Amino acid sequence: MENENSVQLIAGINPVREALVAGRSFESVTIQNDLKNQRLFEILKIARQRKIPVNLVPHAKLDKIYKGNHQGVLARCSVKEYASLDTILIAVNEKKESPFLLIPEGVEDPQNLGALVRTALCAGMHGIILPRTGAAGLSYGTEKASAGAITYMDITRVNDMPATLKSLKEQGIRIVGCESGQGRSLHDADLSGPIALVLGGENVGIRPHVRRNLDEVVHIPSQGPIGSLNVSAAGAVVIFEAVRQRACKARKHKD
């Protein structure tokens, strides 16, 4: 495991609550002293149960500490650690499930990455693989955009994405990229088996050194005058199409 900074400041009810519930290490929690929101009471209760120092302060003091929307709570807690890819794959094997991975290749905006983390968690994906360079990583912006989902998702990052993709393929995992106007419709593709879904960056799409290692490219059919979705919206569409296909396949096997 690795992280870049041992402690970070996080803000907002969901990110703080989920980090508390997940057992991450905290230095302190600071909450506005006008506790009208029941969810702030819940955070206060959990923090005190875990014997974490709690500061009750006026809302104005929180505004001075943090310029964004803090929702009445700030916390200093440990940074989310990266998992290893081996750990992710071993966990999948132990569950006897078909690997279901996400690779946001070159996604630079922490807001988009955070939204994708939340989607992946809700879809039951097993892990997310990030490139070490040229893309957003685990940060406060990513954590806040995920609304706490980042706490529960296994995320790794790799130095050599092409080599990683080749290794995944050797383990029977298909690598499928999604790009606007490229390949066949995702509704005509088989997304039901062991799969890693690759999403390109906001500006350049899937980069050539990654594209060369794809087994297939699919696109999302669009009807309106604007031909593409942003990467977090596109990711949600393709991820849940894969969820649908995997569920259909599982039902057929039961029958």
Side-chain angles (χ1 to χ4, degrees):
M1 294 184 180
E2 58 169 313
N3 58 23
E4 294 173 347
N5 300 292
S6 59
V7 177
Q8 67 176 350
L9 180 71
I10 60 174
I13 290 172
N14 278 341
V16 173
R17 182 191 179 281
E18 299 305 336
L20 281 167
V21 171
R24 282 166 63 182
S25 175
F26 276 71
E27 283 189 356
S28 64
V29 176
T30 302
I31 305 174
Q32 68 182 42
N33 53 16
D34 181 11
L35 292 174
K36 293 181 179 179
N37 189 319
Q38 184 61 36
R39 297 173 72 197
L40 290 177
F41 269 114
E42 183 184 7
I43 288 173
L44 176 63
K45 180 180 178 181
I46 297 170
R48 285 179 170 168
Q49 286 174 341
R50 290 191 51 195
K51 303 186 184 308
I52 296 167
V54 176
N55 305 305
L56 296 176
V57 302
H59 191 280
K61 185 169 183 179
L62 290 172
D63 288 340
K64 289 182 179 179
I65 298 172
Y66 185 79
K67 301 304 181 184
N69 181 17
H70 50 67
Q71 299 179 311
V73 60
L74 300 173
R76 291 185 59 80
C77 78
S78 61
V79 175
K80 163 76 175 182
E81 291 186 329
Y82 289 99
S84 71
L85 181 55
D86 285 344
T87 298
I88 293 172
L89 295 176
I90 288 170
V92 175
N93 185 57
E94 289 176 347
K95 293 177 182 176
K96 301 188 185 319
E97 294 179 351
S98 176
F100 190 22
L101 306 171
L102 179 66
I103 304 177
E105 195 284 311
V107 173
E108 298 177 343
D109 186 341
Q111 299 292 318
N112 283 333
L113 180 58
L116 287 168
V117 171
R118 189 169 183 83
T119 298
L121 182 68
C122 291
M125 300 190 88
H126 296 113
I128 295 175
I129 304 171
L130 303 175
R132 185 175 293 274
T133 60
L138 297 182
S139 66
Y140 168 69
T142 305
E143 179 148 7
K144 184 158 178 63
S146 80
I150 200 171
T151 296
Y152 301 103
M153 175 57 65
D154 285 331
I155 301 172
T156 189
R157 63 178 181 178
V158 297
N159 290 318
D160 189 337
M161 186 62 76
T164 298
L165 298 182
K166 289 176 183 176
S167 175
L168 292 175
K169 289 200 277 189
E170 289 170 357
Q171 297 175 68
I173 299 172
R174 292 181 66 239
I175 313 299
V176 178
C178 182
E179 276 203 302
S180 176
Q182 303 296 313
R184 59 175 168 168
S185 166
L186 81 162
H187 302 304
D188 297 326
D190 181 4
L191 307 178
S192 64
I195 194 168
L197 298 174
V198 180
L199 302 172
E202 296 90 345
N203 298 314
V204 298
I206 299 174
R207 291 175 287 190
H209 68 289
V210 173
R211 174 181 281 278
R212 286 192 290 270
N213 290 280
L214 300 179
D215 292 309
E216 184 173 4
V217 178
V218 300
H219 69 269
I220 300 169
S222 61
Q223 304 296 325
I226 297 176
S228 64
L229 300 168
N230 85 344
V231 66
S232 61
V237 172
V238 70
I239 287 168
F240 274 95
E241 172 60 17
V243 169
R244 185 192 68 80
Q245 291 190 21
R246 290 164 71 89
C248 288
K249 185 174 183 179
R251 284 196 296 270
K252 287 179 181 178
H253 283 172
K254 285 183 179 179
D255 295 340

